[in-house]
Amino acid sequence: MAEGPPRGRTPSPGPGGAPGPPSPRAAGATAGSAGAPSPPAAASKWVRLNVGGTYFVSTRQTLCREPKSFLCRLCCQDGPELGSDKDETGAYLIDRDPTYFGPILNYLRHGKLIINKELAEEGVLEEAEFYNIASLVRLVKERIRDNENRTSQGPVKHVYRVLQCQEEELTQMVSTMSDGWKFEQLISIGSSYNYGNEDQAEFLCVVSRELNNSTNGIVKEPSEKAKILQERGSRM
């Protein structure tokens, strides 16, 4: 008498005598052997930069804010236009000073130029030109030019005049203060003479104006009222 096949080794036939489908356990093992699932696509939006040994992390959208900039060409989504080495962490290697990279990255984030007091504006300008961020280059140049203009003007100097007048002349004298002259101090020096039956008090009036009276290189001539003040002051 012939022996049949060993039990458990032959799958049970399906309809029509065909072998049945594999068990769910076997199917799962087959799918798992194909490899681990790929990482989520959202992780690719973050970019890691190694600038002079300091790490910066930002989004690809931020770095590509300026389409023609070095950073956009380095890591644009459609494929980098510039080649760059990466370190063991996968960060792009950029041989620049990390101290001045902070203002560059923050400008790309929010569009504002913020420079700490300890940083030189010329250093930020140098980095902005290297990374080819044209709008930032213009902003830094404007700030440097404004600072130079304020420095060249120097401290504001004033010229002072002391005018002697009687009490009845105070109103007239105050009305003549123009062309930059302003009242500083009024000093009573007592009564010097009698006018009718009343004593007339005398005063010293201190006035001042800025020494530089030119605007855009055009020197202004003093008005008649200003000349009166100058004549009174010269008689002191």
Side-chain angles (χ1 to χ4, degrees):
M1 183 174 180
E3 296 181 358
R7 294 183 180 181
R9 294 187 179 182
T10 304
S12 59
S23 64
R25 180 177 296 180
T30 303
S33 62
S38 58
S44 63
K45 73 176 184 179
W46 290 97
V47 179
R48 187 176 175 89
L49 304 173
N50 183 343
V51 183
T54 302
Y55 287 97
F56 295 87
V57 179
S58 184
T59 63
R60 201 176 301 273
Q61 180 181 4
T62 295
L63 298 177
C64 295
R65 190 70 49 87
E66 290 276 342
K68 296 182 180 180
S69 69
F70 170 89
L71 295 171
C72 181
R73 297 174 63 195
L74 180 67
C75 56
C76 57
Q77 187 70 42
D78 298 334
E81 300 179 10
L82 297 177
S84 176
D85 294 334
K86 295 183 179 181
D87 63 11
E88 62 278 3
T89 67
Y92 289 97
L93 287 167
I94 303 177
D95 186 21
R96 301 296 293 184
D97 189 347
T99 305
Y100 293 97
F101 186 72
I104 303 293
L105 184 57
N106 285 331
Y107 174 78
L108 294 176
R109 286 169 173 160
H110 47 60
K112 297 179 180 179
L113 175 59
I114 301 176
I115 304 176
N116 295 334
K117 294 181 179 179
E118 61 270 14
L119 294 182
E121 294 169 339
E122 290 77 6
V124 179
L125 176 61
E126 182 70 23
E127 296 306 297
E129 291 176 341
F130 171 80
Y131 292 109
N132 194 30
I133 305 176
S135 58
L136 180 56
V137 170
R138 288 193 297 270
L139 279 179
V140 181
K141 285 184 176 180
E142 289 176 1
R143 179 171 295 189
I144 292 175
R145 184 166 53 250
D146 292 342
N147 291 339
E148 289 177 348
N149 291 338
R150 284 195 294 267
T151 303
S152 62
Q153 292 176 358
V156 179
K157 297 181 180 180
H158 293 80
V159 57
Y160 292 86
R161 293 191 182 278
V162 181
L163 310 176
Q164 184 175 359
C165 61
Q166 284 77 40
E167 184 176 1
E168 62 181 7
E169 298 176 326
L170 281 177
T171 302
Q172 178 186 1
M173 187 191 64
V174 172
S175 65
T176 60
M177 290 200 311
S178 60
D179 297 292
W181 289 97
K182 64 179 182 178
F183 173 80
E184 293 288 348
Q185 188 177 7
L186 184 65
I187 304 173
S188 175
I189 58 176
S191 301
S192 60
Y193 65 94
N194 293 333
Y195 181 79
N197 295 327
E198 297 181 357
D199 292 337
Q200 291 293 319
E202 288 195 347
F203 298 90
L204 295 179
C205 184
V206 182
V207 295
S208 70
R209 65 169 296 171
E210 291 186 9
L211 184 61
N212 183 14
N213 64 339
S214 62
T215 304
N216 296 328
I218 301 176
V219 178
K220 296 181 180 179
E221 292 293 334
S223 66
E224 293 299 325
K225 293 181 179 181
K227 290 179 180 179
I228 294 175
L229 283 175
Q230 294 174 1
E231 291 174 0
R232 289 183 178 179
S234 63
R235 293 197 296 268
M236 294 297 296

